Amino acid sequence: MPSDARDIPLPQFDPTPVRPAHAVGPRSLDAVRMLRISVTDRCHLRCRYCMPAEGVSFLPASALLGAAEIERVAEVAAGLGVTHIKITGGEPTIRRDLLDLVSRLRGIEGIELSMTTNGLRLESIAGALREAGLDRLTVSIDSLRSDRYAEITGGGRLDRLHRGLDAAHEVFGGLKLNVVVMRHINDDEIGDFARLAVERDWTVRFIEFMPLGRSVIADREPKEALVEADEIERAVVAAIGPLRPLLRAEPGIGPARVNGTAAGRGRIGFIHAMSRPFCESCNRLRLDAVGVLRSCLFDGGEIDLRPLLRSGVDRRDERWRDAFAGCTALKPEVHGPRGDRAMSSIGG
Ligand code: SAM
Ligand code: SF4
């Protein structure tokens, strides 16, 4: 380690604002409340909207940040105003030290801790995750039909996922489900998912397909696959009746427009990143699995935190703030039509 931490150069990024950097609002660090941490880029599934059919290459395991390094970045983020950390990937449950990581992050004061998973390992680890301190879970499920689920995910077993959901419901109570709606693939199941939300008193969030990086759908038919949120909402209302928008008060409310149902049970969210980008209320940054901080799912803007992370610079050092603020300033006014990196590599 260098004798004087001040000699360590700032992480490299282009300081020329691509678009105006605002003093307050989404391009100001003051607006950032959430850090999504990709703990691995690997996954045992091959969802067609997320990964290409073949030629998937993953980072060497030795390149991934260790649990203590992730904890360190999370502590810095918490000191800079982040109040919610989401563990994601890739598939976070394939990381062997996941429980250790959850307990470490749990130890950070004032942090709400959640995780997004494909749910296939939840049957065995839901209880341990809760005990380690995870507050909430989001589970991805894109079909309620076994054969279709297997086809979309590249071999996932729906019976196993259902057992995982039941186990998670036991220990976490209200679950959030993520459903990526795709034309001619699962758009005929919108009503079934809406009814499931009411039946189980869960939150179902319908996500518009986003062409990010290489995936079977992004490579072949990105425009045809998109089902816009307004159309999804009409199908939901046809199935379960009118929705009641729920107001959420926190600044920079993030992406989902959430609604209550006429039945008074379950909630329905819409993530309309394509038809109505919500960049002006974006309150998040992403940390990839090797330590690169990313400003936006779609548009460029990254800062490599490894030089700071591995230099031993104190977490209150101004250079951390500069790195986080510099990355936030790179957020686009409105994101472009296509992203250069897959969600699985930058923390979906
Ligand atoms: N493996 C975990 C899972 O599937 O929940 C966490 C990582 S995954 C990248 C996070 C979320 O991103 C999932 O809900 C997934 O459905 C969503 N996702 C991935 N690629 C997407 C795309 N191209 N468009 C929309 N949502 C996508
Ligand atoms: Fe894996 Fe999640 Fe991507 Fe599906 S969406 S391939 S489960 S990382």
Side-chain angles (χ1 to χ4, degrees):
M1 197 171 65
S3 53
D4 180 0
R6 288 259 152 211
D7 294 340
I8 300 155
L10 270 174
Q12 290 305 301
F13 67 98
D14 180 357
T16 324
V18 186
R19 299 176 176 88
H22 298 257
V24 290
R27 278 160 297 282
S28 157
L29 187 55
D30 292 343
V32 173
R33 292 286 175 274
M34 183 189 213
L35 181 66
R36 299 177 73 97
I37 302 179
S38 172
V39 297
T40 176
D41 62 334
R42 286 171 195 255
C43 185
H44 49 283
L45 294 184
R46 295 287 179 274
C47 299
R48 290 165 62 183
Y49 53 81
C50 179
M51 297 215 183
E54 64 242 356
V56 191
S57 55
F58 294 115
L59 297 161
S62 60
L64 303 189
L65 293 186
E69 290 177 310
I70 294 176
E71 180 188 13
R72 186 115 189 280
V73 177
E75 278 171 350
V76 169
L80 295 172
V82 163
T83 54
H84 181 186
I85 286 177
K86 167 87 84 184
I87 298 171
T88 178
E91 176 47 40
T93 60
I94 65 174
R95 204 172 148 131
R96 289 211 187 97
D97 60 355
L98 179 64
L99 294 175
D100 172 45
L101 179 61
V102 170
S103 346
R104 284 171 180 271
L105 297 177
R106 174 71 292 151
I108 303 173
E109 214 175 305
I111 283 291
E112 186 187 340
L113 190 59
S114 64
M115 185 174 92
T116 302
T117 171
N118 63 33
L120 293 178
R121 290 200 59 213
L122 284 178
E123 187 182 11
S124 56
I125 62 165
L129 283 168
R130 186 81 177 115
E131 271 167 37
L134 195 71
D135 294 315
R136 284 186 290 106
L137 265 181
T138 300
V139 183
S140 302
I141 173 169
D142 306 303
S143 177
L144 296 169
R145 303 179 192 179
S146 303
D147 50 345
R148 191 182 270 181
Y149 178 76
E151 201 186 314
I152 293 174
T153 57
R157 281 188 39 200
L158 191 61
D159 58 335
R160 196 170 150 191
L161 175 51
H162 277 305
R163 290 198 300 275
L165 288 170
D166 288 341
H169 181 86
E170 281 285 305
V171 285
F172 287 94
L175 295 178
K176 276 192 197 167
L177 303 189
N178 275 356
V179 182
V180 180
V181 182
M182 295 160 285
R183 178 84 61 207
H184 305 315
I185 295 179
N186 63 353
D187 55 339
D188 55 346
E189 292 189 58
I190 296 168
D192 295 338
F193 275 111
R195 281 185 285 270
L196 180 70
V198 174
E199 216 174 277
R200 305 286 315 248
D201 201 8
W202 287 345
T203 300
V204 168
R205 309 193 312 167
F206 293 102
I207 306 178
E208 291 179 346
F209 166 71
M210 298 170 233
L212 300 170
R214 285 196 54 226
S215 72
V216 174
I217 295 180
D219 288 352
R220 283 194 215 143
E221 47 186 350
K223 285 219 176 73
E224 291 73 11
L226 175 66
V227 182
E228 295 193 355
D230 286 352
E231 182 181 337
I232 301 172
E233 184 166 353
R234 285 194 292 277
V236 168
V237 170
I240 61 166
L243 298 175
R244 181 174 44 85
L246 297 176
L247 292 176
R248 295 190 297 159
E250 72 264 43
I253 53 168
R257 194 157 52 78
V258 184
N259 302 270
T261 70
R265 285 166 56 83
R267 306 203 300 174
I268 305 287
F270 300 100
I271 301 187
H272 38 75
M274 300 305 294
S275 63
R276 255 180 290 158
F278 32 76
C279 304
E280 79 285 352
S281 67
C282 179
N283 63 355
R284 56 200 53 204
L285 290 174
R286 295 181 151 80
L287 178 71
D288 81 2
V290 300
V292 173
L293 194 64
R294 171 122 182 160
S295 59
C296 168
L297 257 184
F298 285 80
D299 286 292
E302 296 179 345
I303 290 186
D304 190 346
L305 296 181
R306 282 170 296 188
L308 277 176
L309 196 50
R310 296 188 173 151
S311 64
V313 168
D314 184 85
R315 71 186 151 91
R316 285 170 291 271
D317 190 290
E318 275 303 299
R319 278 169 292 179
W320 280 112
R321 172 174 283 278
D322 291 347
F324 273 74
C327 187
T328 312
L330 296 174
K331 279 178 175 295
E333 201 93 38
V334 180
H335 70 70
R338 190 163 180 149
D340 59 339
R341 286 181 66 180
M343 272 238 212
S344 58
S345 83
I346 44 180

